[in-house]
Amino acid sequence: MLFSSYSGPLPKPEALHIPDGFLSAPVAVLAWLISVAFIVVAVRISSRTLDERQVPMMGVLAAFIFAAQAFNFPVAGGTSGHMLGGALVAILLGPWPGLLVMTAVIALQALIFQDGGLLAMGANILIMGILTVWVGYFTYRLLSRFNGYLAAFLAGWLSVEVAAIVTAALLALSGTSALAVVLPAMAGVHAFIGIGEGLITAAALALVQKALPGFFDHRSSGGRTDTATLFAGGVVLTLIVGILAVFFASGSPDGLEWVAEDLGFLGAAQESPFQIAPDYAVPGISSDIAANLLAVGIGILLLFAVGYTVARSLRRRQTQSA
């Protein structure tokens, strides 16, 4: 089931999640090659530089980004958007571990929940897992000396806008829509969606700085992060966001869906060759709300486990090579 055919209570959060059918095979393959190269480099660098404090944070952030992406918020013009999270993970973890967190989220969304195509997964990782991370990271590093929260807002906003522009370029290269048509449409609607991304990024950064001052102080003063607080606080906050998403997320079409429908290429989207829990609903449950709650809960637990396991594995490689 794709896009507007879904009728359950939890909107399918496919903003910038490109389905198969939107990109040509050469463009999709090229995006895969670029993404794999970045992932390999990210693994190598992270296995040398990952800090012990970042191990639980990778698990918590992977789960939180998954839950946050399920929470569509209304945007002007009858469309909606949701957090991507690349800027936030880059600010908190650095670009290379952040890239791995975003890759885990995007891959699980496609494999378990059929959100984003399999052939298009390389492009989705390139756009949401690489571009948003690096744009957010450099923007924050450049501007945080003036005002950290304003820098976080701009990092979030610009990461979404650049991701939307590149998505438009890939659609144009694929022959899906003319660049002169799809570029202003994507950039325009995501300029509004990016405001939400910026506000959430700044608010989340303020929350982490307030709850876990040692996570930031450690780099300069040797302070320690309270891992138990990080686990407990992160899990509780993530579950709250996930539950709120089921009951209060906007049902309006998101940015890419709105543009695709407006420009007439929505019908090019292809179904996944397999279905596990499509549209973030566990099959076989009569209640839509219960099916969504269970799917979101499973996704949160899976992402936390994947994020934590990857981080622990990277630390183990670092210890063995020391």
Side-chain angles (χ1 to χ4, degrees):
M1 190 180 299
L2 289 169
F3 293 138
S4 56
S5 56
Y6 176 57
S7 59
L10 182 64
K12 188 171 185 283
E14 63 279 85
L16 290 178
H17 285 73
I18 303 171
D20 284 336
F22 279 13
L23 301 180
S24 66
V27 169
V29 170
L30 178 60
W32 257 116
L33 294 175
I34 295 172
S35 295
V36 169
F38 268 88
I39 292 170
V40 170
V41 174
V43 169
R44 290 181 176 176
I45 292 179
S46 298
S47 65
R48 296 197 305 267
T49 61
L50 194 71
D51 190 286
E52 180 63 27
R53 301 165 304 111
Q54 294 175 308
V55 173
M57 183 63 87
M58 282 186 70
V60 169
L61 277 177
F64 176 77
I65 295 301
F66 172 82
Q69 288 197 0
F71 200 153
N72 280 47
F73 50 82
V75 180
T79 184
S80 69
H82 65 69
M83 185 182 192
L84 293 180
L88 179 64
V89 295
I91 293 170
L92 294 177
L93 292 173
W96 295 113
L99 190 160
L100 296 177
V101 167
M102 294 301 294
T103 298
V105 174
I106 294 163
L108 186 139
Q109 287 172 329
L111 295 173
I112 306 297
F113 301 104
Q114 286 67 66
D115 189 11
L118 299 181
L119 184 60
M121 191 193 302
N124 284 323
I125 293 173
L126 173 62
I127 293 166
M128 294 186 289
I130 297 174
L131 282 175
T132 61
V133 163
W134 283 102
V135 170
Y137 178 75
F138 281 126
T139 303
Y140 182 77
R141 287 292 299 270
L142 181 65
L143 301 176
S144 60
R145 71 190 69 179
F146 305 109
N147 185 297
Y149 298 133
L150 179 60
F153 171 82
L154 293 174
W157 181 85
L158 190 60
S159 69
V160 170
E161 190 67 356
V162 171
I165 291 171
V166 174
T167 301
L170 295 183
L171 292 169
L173 285 173
S174 299
T176 304
S177 181
L179 184 62
V181 176
V182 72
L183 179 57
M186 287 292 290
V189 69
H190 285 90
F192 291 100
I193 293 174
I195 294 174
E197 179 86 11
L199 292 174
I200 296 172
T201 301
L205 178 63
L207 180 63
V208 174
Q209 288 180 327
K210 180 70 174 178
L212 299 168
F215 186 79
F216 295 92
D217 294 342
H218 177 84
R219 292 170 184 166
S220 58
S221 64
R224 295 179 62 83
T225 298
D226 185 341
T227 302
T229 301
L230 175 56
F231 273 128
V235 169
V236 169
L237 178 61
T238 298
L239 288 174
I240 290 174
V241 172
I243 292 171
L244 290 176
V246 172
F247 289 98
F248 298 107
S250 171
S252 298
D254 61 31
L256 179 58
E257 179 185 1
W258 181 83
V259 170
E261 185 170 14
D262 190 52
L263 301 184
F265 62 86
L266 183 61
Q270 298 174 357
E271 294 277 3
S272 170
F274 60 87
Q275 303 280 315
I276 296 180
D279 301 322
Y280 296 86
V282 174
I285 298 177
S286 57
S287 168
D288 289 337
I289 291 178
N292 285 149
L293 284 172
L294 185 57
V296 170
I298 291 173
I300 288 172
L301 292 176
L302 281 176
L303 260 308
F304 177 80
V306 170
Y308 183 81
T309 301
V310 169
R312 183 54 65 196
S313 175
L314 293 172
R315 281 290 294 170
R316 190 176 301 113
R317 291 180 59 177
Q318 185 179 138
T319 303
Q320 291 172 347
S321 62

